[in-house]
Amino acid sequence: MTLIVTLIPLFPLIGFLLLGLGFRNIPRRITSLIGPGTILISLILSVIVSINFHNFTFSPYHHLFNWISFGNLTIPFAFLIDPLSCLMLLVVTGVGFIIHVFSVGYMHEDQGYNRFFAYMNLFVFSMLLLVMGANYVVMFIGWEGVGLCSYLLIGFWFRNQDFNNAAKKAFIMNRIGDLGFLLGLFLLFITFNSLNFADVFAQAKNYPVGSGVIIAITLLLFVGAVGKSAQIPLYTWLPDAMAGPTPVSALIHAATMVTAGVYMVARSNILYVLAPPTMLVIGITGMATLLLAGIIAIYQNDIKKILAYSTISQLGYMFVALSFGAFSAAMFHLTTHAFFKALLFLAAGSVIHALGGEQDIRKMGGLKQHMPATYWTFLIATLAIAGIPPLSGFFSKDEILLHVLTHSVLFWIFAVIGAMLTTYYMFRLFYLAFFGKYRGTGQEHHHMHESPSIMTLPLIILAVLSLIGGFINIPEIFGGMERLTSFLSPVFADSYPLIHRKYYFSDVYNEILIMAVPLVFSAIMIILTFQRFYIDKKILVDEVVAKKFFLNFISRKFYVDEINDFLFVRPALWLSKIFYNLIELKFIDRGVNGIGTFVIKMGDTIRYMQTGHVGFYLFIMVMGIIAILIFNILVF
């Protein structure tokens, strides 16, 4: 089984090497097989490993070789295959394969076709390392790898300087978070003398709840999660990352990379339950991000940026769940979110493809008649993210809301408000894009068409997963067995006894009533949105927004980018100019150039001694011998 486990990340790496080294010479047909094909093999192997997980007769720990050994530090290159990693393997390879297939049609005319699939395969390889690693160092390799691939793919169309700036912004903001993550790893090693999950978690159980060193470690690790999973204050890179091709948005910025922080906290669950202050920080951060991103999404007009802020908001839900110890609920929502958010992005890509690159929803409309497959799949995804039963989002989101209510009524109210915001901005997008009359140019209207089957088939598959994905964890009140929770329970077994809940409902009827509250509010938001954007057709709200200060404030994303530019970017540029002019030019350059000038002048002087006369050389040799003899006599 170790061989099969090793082959799971190896095939995407082989695909990257083949396409990366020979991307200029490999025909596109071969690339279309290598790119998705390597991910398909990894998916099949992941399914085999997951199906046979309960039949394993050996340790889930798979040691490949000792990678680093120095003093007390021993870091093996090893994989950990347990229920949590099995779930992530299926999500990464399954959704990744579907998106790769979609990309074959979406990118078929792009000049960088082979390079695109090379980067995508490298990303999947890095993400698999992240979720399979048996220690924090292997996880960190994948962590940095997905950051690198994000930079490469966001700036894929590098001839556009704005896209390059977006890529640099994502890279730099992720490095800020990664610095905290790295400091957390240093403190982990100092505290536990190991970075292996098994050793760290076994020793951590002996620490008291509220231990200062555990709080420090978890806070530093959470800084890394804030950067990677786009939480306040390091979230502004994700909307700008929509500069990359739409399949990139679906794979990296919806289904996999941005969930790395959620996975890391879930993997380190025993550390976090021992640090209640950190859990509180996670909860406040997640809730603030959930509400802020939802409010901003209401007045966005770029179809991909609306979905980007939606991703940020849904990640906030996951962190809120983690903060209350609902680790299984967070991973459940991570899984269902991968289905319907990947579907939303790919369906948006289908719309953009049909309209020749148009992304402004104010210039869309009436797409229902021209793009029926995209319309129906987009509708399913919209209903799923809004939490409408029996779609997947209903089960996963309501499970989070129920767990939140067992801890805090106030947080539950805010979470329900967040659900209402989600319903509003998603149905606003849906109505403006697919209903009414087309509001774009005549050329775009003439170009409008349904996407080819290579693109619509992945949409249909993801739509089916969005429909039935919630059934993997049907709660007991609906006659289910919560199979996913039971499957993941061994990973969180040591943490559950330390989580204390307050129950605000005592029987099944009250529980169903509590679950019905967000559903009722979501239905109200659907009706209001239908009334406003379909019946009243209040589509162009720019003039209204401009006249109302608060609405303008929201539409400008609370000026967060401008504030960051004023507080951090401009001072950094100003300081760099000072260092460049005063230190770089006047000291470093003068010092380096001065040494070079000195050497040249010394050479010019000494070369006069090279006369070319043998007699002169004999004279110098004799004088040297005499000088050596005199030195020996005087010294000794």
Side-chain angles (χ1 to χ4, degrees), residues 49-111:
V49 169
S50 300
I51 291 175
N52 291 279
F53 178 78
H54 290 294
N55 299 325
F56 284 177
T57 58
F58 48 85
S59 170
Y61 182 83
H62 299 270
H63 181 277
L64 300 184
F65 55 87
N66 284 330
W67 182 30
I68 298 175
S69 183
F70 180 77
N72 296 328
L73 176 64
T74 300
I75 301 175
F77 198 94
F79 295 142
L80 177 64
I81 303 300
D82 65 354
L84 184 59
S85 55
C86 283
L87 176 64
M88 291 301 295
L89 283 177
L90 294 175
V91 171
V92 172
T93 56
V95 177
F97 170 68
I98 294 172
I99 294 173
H100 271 70
V101 173
F102 180 89
S103 301
V104 172
Y106 189 85
M107 301 292 293
H108 73 283
E109 294 181 355
D110 196 280
Q111 293 181 351

Side-chain angles (χ1 to χ4, degrees), residues 192 199-209 211 214 270 274 498:
F192 300 107
D199 298 334
V200 170
F201 300 157
Q203 296 180 55
K205 290 186 290 186
N206 299 322
Y207 279 73
V209 175
S211 171
I214 300 296
I270 185 62
L274 292 171
L498 300 175

Side-chain angles (χ1 to χ4, degrees), residues 17-26 114:
L17 294 175
L18 291 175
L19 297 175
L21 295 177
F23 71 92
R24 296 185 185 278
N25 301 317
I26 297 178
N114 292 9

